[in-house]
Amino acid sequence: EAGVAQSPRYKIIEKRQSVAFWCNPISGHATLYWYQQILGQGPKLLIQFQNNGVVDDSQLPKDRFSAERLKGVDSTLKIQPAKLEDSAVYLCASSLRGGGLAAYEQYFGPGTRLTVT
Amino acid sequence: AQSVSQHNHHVILSEAASLELGCNYSYGGTVNLFWYVQYPGQHLQLLLKYFSGDPLVKGIKGFEAEFIKSKFSFNLRKPSVQWSDTAEYFCAVGTGNNRKLIWGLGTSLAVNP
């Protein structure tokens, strides 16, 4: 079974520039998550999709961050414009859909390390 | 608000020492509990999980965790650590219908050979 794919793995940009991250979840996983992980902290949920609908985006800084999952499979997360404090690892995870407990198990990609200078 | 506390931010052990990492959560309802591990240079992966039943759960690589409902705790243990256990360990709690996980800040474990 292929895992969650993310690209790029590393990105360095200057502040006020824009950046986009891509995620391809595990096949058949309807739920997709984007997390921000700052060094020394746990993952912080930015947005959760169920198929192509948003379930939770309460912690997404919507003035600069946006995310989409148009066909219910791949997803992109964009930051525009970037700030210094956006330097972090951006993690994508996916899980099965449904009301069962298996839907709690999240499978993570390798992450994208963003450095904003 | 729901929260997860991991008491130890950095732990340093020698090989063969016993390990216990603390995790407490604040939520009064039904919870589902997880420990995830992130080895250096690798992605987060599930170490073990508790949904219901026997409060002592066993995971991969000899790890186990005990759910103590009265203490709102889910501590991770391993009787004898190895150098390869050097990693970041995260406790997470799942609640609610949207299957959202609340994460602790993580514990960095370094095992000296």
Side-chain angles (χ1 to χ4, degrees):
Chain A
E1 178 183 81
V4 177
Q6 288 189 249
S7 68
R9 292 293 308 276
Y10 305 92
K11 191 74 177 178
I12 301 174
I13 61 172
E14 295 181 352
K15 59 183 178 183
R16 290 188 289 274
Q17 287 187 321
S18 62
V19 64
F21 312 125
W22 173 83
C23 173
N24 182 246
I26 292 172
S27 178
H29 281 195
T31 307
L32 185 147
Y33 311 80
W34 281 104
Y35 289 92
Q36 180 192 60
Q37 186 178 18
I38 293 174
L39 188 65
Q41 298 182 20
K44 170 189 168 185
L45 180 68
L46 293 175
I47 189 166
Q48 177 183 346
F49 291 96
Q50 178 89 345
N51 296 310
N52 59 350
V54 175
V55 174
D56 186 342
D57 64 355
S58 56
Q59 297 195 88
L60 186 74
K62 298 180 185 64
D63 57 334
R64 297 185 301 107
F65 286 64
S66 64
E68 61 183 14
R69 194 184 183 199
L70 293 175
K71 296 184 179 179
V73 180
D74 294 7
S75 177
T76 56
L77 175 70
K78 296 179 181 177
I79 307 175
Q80 182 180 9
K83 293 185 175 182
L84 295 176
E85 59 261 36
D86 298 332
S87 293
V89 176
Y90 290 84
L91 299 168
C92 180
S94 69
S95 66
L96 290 168
R97 188 186 72 171
L101 294 172
Y104 270 113
E105 294 185 40
Q106 298 183 18
Y107 297 81
F108 285 81
T112 297
R113 183 175 298 276
L114 173 68
T115 302
V116 182
T117 62
Chain B
Q2 300 157 20
S3 65
V4 177
S5 298
Q6 291 184 240
H7 314 300
N8 314 99
H9 209 51
H10 298 282
V11 174
I12 301 174
L13 296 173
S14 298
E15 275 195 320
S18 64
L19 170 72
E20 180 159 3
L21 301 182
C23 173
N24 285 87
Y25 61 92
S26 63
Y27 184 70
T30 301
V31 293
N32 301 288
L33 301 159
F34 304 84
W35 276 97
Y36 278 81
V37 61
Q38 188 167 27
Y39 297 103
Q42 297 187 26
H43 56 273
L44 273 166
Q45 56 188 287
L46 183 66
L47 192 58
L48 48 75
K49 62 194 177 193
Y50 172 80
F51 292 141
S52 64
D54 189 344
L56 184 63
V57 292
K58 296 189 185 298
I60 60 173
K61 304 186 179 184
F63 285 90
E64 64 180 31
E66 185 175 14
F67 170 50
I68 302 179
K69 188 175 181 179
S70 61
K71 295 186 178 180
F72 299 89
S73 70
F74 189 55
N75 292 353
L76 181 70
R77 299 195 293 248
K78 185 171 184 178
S80 176
V81 295
Q82 300 173 319
W83 175 78
S84 57
D85 294 325
T86 295
E88 191 89 15
Y89 292 82
F90 294 93
C91 181
V93 175
T95 66
N97 294 326
N98 64 2
R99 302 295 184 261
K100 180 178 174 178
L101 292 182
I102 310 298
W103 294 80
L105 291 179
T107 297
S108 175
L109 171 66
V111 179
N112 296 322

